[in-house]
Amino acid sequence: MDPLELLISNDFLRVLDLIGVFVMGVASGALAARLKFDAVGFAIIGIAAGLGGGLVRDLILDYGTPAAFDGPWYLACALAGSLFSFLISPEGPWWRRTVTALDIAAMGLWAATGTAKSMGYGLDPLPAILLGITSAVGGGVIRDVLVGRIPAIFGGGPLYATGALVTAIITWVVIALGIPSPFVLVAVALGALLAGLASWRRWSLPKHGEWEVTMSASQLKALVRRT
């Protein structure tokens, strides 16, 4: 099976995609619960997080009707996830770890499908990879902006964007080289594994100032003389 067909039209992966939308709805609903939102707030946050990245991608690709609105399933899954958190309000570390793991898996899948879809529309490698990352993390960025906080991918959270970048690059390699389709799932697994390890081990990218080098005027002059 062609990799593009595997990622875009395969029913099994479409189901996984919808599960990812549901999970993002649940995770965003948990945030809405902490912020004491009403039912409308739960719904809006769930839709923005679950569908935002794919919606931006499809609009850029001029896809026609975005996949999020091509039938009822995507909206239904996003709203169902939000409703679950609104009614159940689960708490505890076990629940947070479960949602994080599922969220990371959805991130990897969306990075792969976004990259493949962009390649299918003839985009060059760099734009295709960028849209793959946008598909994976765009919804979370929109959600964070809506609630008035700095998006988690800009620092202080799991390496979602980095994991999405790994998945997007490997997906591009698989499709560009005609490697058998199952290796796309390896790309998803590797990106998700990186993000999962980063969440578990508290890894983060270097922040501004952490690698800053300071030199006195005399030290700078000495360095210039030596060079």
Side-chain angles (χ1 to χ4, degrees), residues 26-140:
V26 172
S28 299
L31 173 62
R34 291 196 297 271
L35 297 176
K36 307 298 183 183
F37 283 9
D38 62 13
V40 173
F42 271 77
I44 295 299
I45 290 298
I47 291 172
L51 307 181
L55 181 60
V56 170
R57 176 203 63 216
D58 289 347
L59 290 175
I60 291 175
L61 291 175
D62 195 18
Y63 178 70
T65 301
F69 300 127
D70 187 16
W73 293 109
Y74 281 90
L75 281 169
C77 286
L79 291 172
S82 298
L83 179 63
F84 180 87
S85 288
F86 183 78
L87 296 176
I88 304 300
S89 297
E91 295 291 343
W94 66 271
W95 173 250
R96 288 193 295 271
R97 286 193 293 267
T98 300
V99 170
T100 297
L102 293 174
D103 188 21
I104 288 171
M107 175 275 299
L109 180 67
W110 288 341
T113 55
T115 304
K117 198 171 200 179
S118 301
M119 292 179 69
Y121 274 75
L123 266 63
D124 290 334
L126 187 57
I129 290 170
L130 178 60
L131 274 186
I133 298 171
T134 300
S135 299
V137 303

Side-chain angles (χ1 to χ4, degrees), residues 3 6-7 108 111-116 119 125 128-130 132-133 161-194:
L6 171 71
L7 286 166
T113 55
T115 304
M119 292 179 69
I129 290 170
L130 178 60
I133 298 171
T162 306
L165 174 62
V166 170
T167 294
I169 291 174
I170 299 175
T171 299
W172 178 85
V173 171
V174 168
I175 296 175
L177 298 182
I179 298 173
S181 300
F183 281 92
V184 171
L185 300 182
V186 175
V188 173
L190 288 175
L193 178 63
L194 173 61

Side-chain angles (χ1 to χ4, degrees), residues 153-166:
I153 66 165
F154 292 162
L159 299 180
Y160 280 11
T162 306
L165 174 62
V166 170

